[in-house]
């Protein structure tokens, strides 16, 4: 398994303590958008791979495998690399994790590099081309649904990825109109002024859905089973994105 592009090792998990098994996360600050790449289910990790190590693209990270946990065991015959390119939802992920009743008694062993805080997009947008602008690839994804949120603080997602701001002002926005891909990636943010008709009571609300994506959104639990309300995945995404308002 090789590094996909130039970057810095951000996290190494050599233990079998989660569904990803042994995995590595790299950050790529010099990309057009500072994405992460993730390499999971590894059989082994190179001993020199440690957080903070700068690597060029094409460097050996480890060996493909089928590592996971007993609860999510992967047969040897299905050994594969789980590869992601994506964005970090929140630096305050731990605040969300600690507040969730379902997580009580189960410590977060991966910090901000917990899989619930990592939102990947279709890697073929990058892998299918010899040279690709990451930001352009992300913006090329179609919008599947939109929400309106009014958190007490600007989500740190926006300060980390300001290139995804489509309009409005970070300093004065009273709320946000946020466009999501069908996979659950918040790909477009527009700041809303106080009094904007799109702002509704409450911390956030589902604003609209494109009909062509409704079946996929239901399948991914971005929408409820009847397709008329927010599903558990979308609720979790928004709650994590606004974790710095807790």
């Amino acid at each position: 398994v090789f590094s996909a592009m130039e970057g810095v090792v951000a996290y190494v998990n050599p233990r079998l303590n989660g569904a990803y098994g042994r995995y590595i996360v790299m950050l790529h600050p010099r990309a057009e958008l500072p994405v992460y790449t993730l390499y999971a289910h590894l059989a082994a990790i190179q001993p020199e791979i440690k957080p903070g190590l700068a690597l060029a693209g094409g460097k050996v990270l480890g060996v493909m495998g089928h590592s996971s946990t007993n609860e999510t065991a992967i047969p040897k015959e299905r050994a594969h690399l789980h590869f992601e390119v994506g964005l970090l939802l929140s630096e305050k992920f731990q605040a969300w994790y600690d507040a969730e009743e379902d997580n009580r008694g189960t410590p977060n062993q991966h910090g901000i590099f917990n899989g619930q805080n990592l939102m990947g997009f279709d890697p073929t947008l990058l892998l299918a081309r010899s040279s690709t602008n990451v930001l352009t690839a992300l913006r090329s994804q179609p919008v599947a649904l939109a929400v309106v949120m009014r958190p007490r603080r600007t989500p740190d997602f926006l300060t980390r990825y300001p290139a995804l701001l489509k309009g409005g002002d970070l300093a004065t926005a009273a709320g946000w109109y946020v466009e999501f891909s069908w996979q659950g990636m918040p790909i477009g943010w527009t700041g809303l002024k106080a009094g904007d008709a799109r702002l509704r009571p409450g911390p956030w609300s589902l604003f609209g859905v494109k009909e062509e994506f409704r079946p996929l959104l239901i399948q991914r639990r971005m929408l409820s089973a009847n397709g008329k309300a927010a599903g558990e995945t979308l609720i979790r995404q928004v709650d994590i994105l606004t974790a710095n308002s807790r």
Side-chain angles (χ1 to χ4, degrees):
V1 174
F2 302 91
S3 53
M5 63 181 101
E6 175 189 5
V8 179
V9 177
Y11 182 68
V12 178
N13 181 58
R15 299 172 296 278
L16 303 181
N17 56 1
Y20 281 155
R22 299 181 187 91
Y23 72 99
I24 297 167
V25 179
M26 291 186 64
L27 297 180
H28 305 278
R30 296 184 62 182
E32 297 81 7
L33 195 68
V35 294
Y36 73 81
T37 51
L38 178 144
Y39 313 78
H41 305 314
L42 300 175
I45 294 171
Q46 293 292 101
E48 69 272 18
I49 302 299
K50 305 290 183 186
L53 179 67
L55 292 172
K59 295 299 182 181
V60 177
L61 300 175
V63 178
M64 188 180 77
H66 58 103
S67 62
S68 190
T69 62
N70 289 335
E71 293 79 9
T72 55
I74 300 170
K76 182 179 179 180
E77 296 75 21
R78 290 187 57 233
H80 66 280
L81 172 67
H82 177 105
F83 176 68
E84 284 184 16
V85 182
L87 304 178
L88 190 75
L89 291 178
S90 179
E91 295 282 355
K92 300 295 184 182
F93 173 78
Q94 191 66 47
W96 170 83
Y97 191 94
D98 291 342
E100 289 295 299
E101 289 189 16
D102 290 346
N103 295 330
R104 289 175 186 172
T106 306
N108 171 24
Q109 301 186 69
H110 308 293
I112 62 172
F113 298 107
N114 184 300
Q116 292 178 299
N117 197 36
L118 303 174
M119 185 64 238
F121 59 91
D122 184 358
T124 61
L125 294 170
L126 304 176
L127 298 178
R129 299 168 174 84
S130 59
S131 178
T132 305
N133 182 301
V134 175
L135 180 57
T136 300
L138 190 64
R139 285 175 171 167
S140 72
Q141 295 184 101
V143 174
L145 65 78
V147 306
V148 171
M149 59 176 73
R150 48 195 313 167
R152 291 186 294 111
R153 298 182 182 89
T154 299
D156 62 71
F157 184 93
L158 262 181
T159 56
R160 193 164 45 259
Y161 309 115
L164 296 181
L165 181 65
K166 298 177 72 174
D169 183 21
L170 280 175
T172 62
W176 301 95
Y177 177 82
V178 188
E179 297 166 318
F180 286 78
S181 70
W182 66 267
Q183 295 166 310
M185 176 71 75
I187 55 177
W189 295 67
T190 302
L192 304 178
K193 294 180 179 180
D196 191 295
R198 288 170 287 184
L199 289 172
R200 300 169 181 175
W204 72 278
S205 59
L206 180 64
F207 189 83
V209 178
K210 286 192 175 178
E211 285 302 318
E212 64 194 280
F213 293 107
R214 197 177 294 271
L216 266 177
L217 292 166
I218 293 171
Q219 181 182 3
R220 292 186 65 84
R221 299 182 179 177
M222 291 288 287
L223 293 177
S224 60
N226 64 9
K228 297 181 179 179
E232 61 183 77
T233 299
L234 179 59
I235 293 169
R236 184 180 69 242
Q237 300 286 76
V238 173
D239 283 352
I240 295 173
L241 283 166
T242 57
N244 67 331
S245 287
R246 290 181 179 269

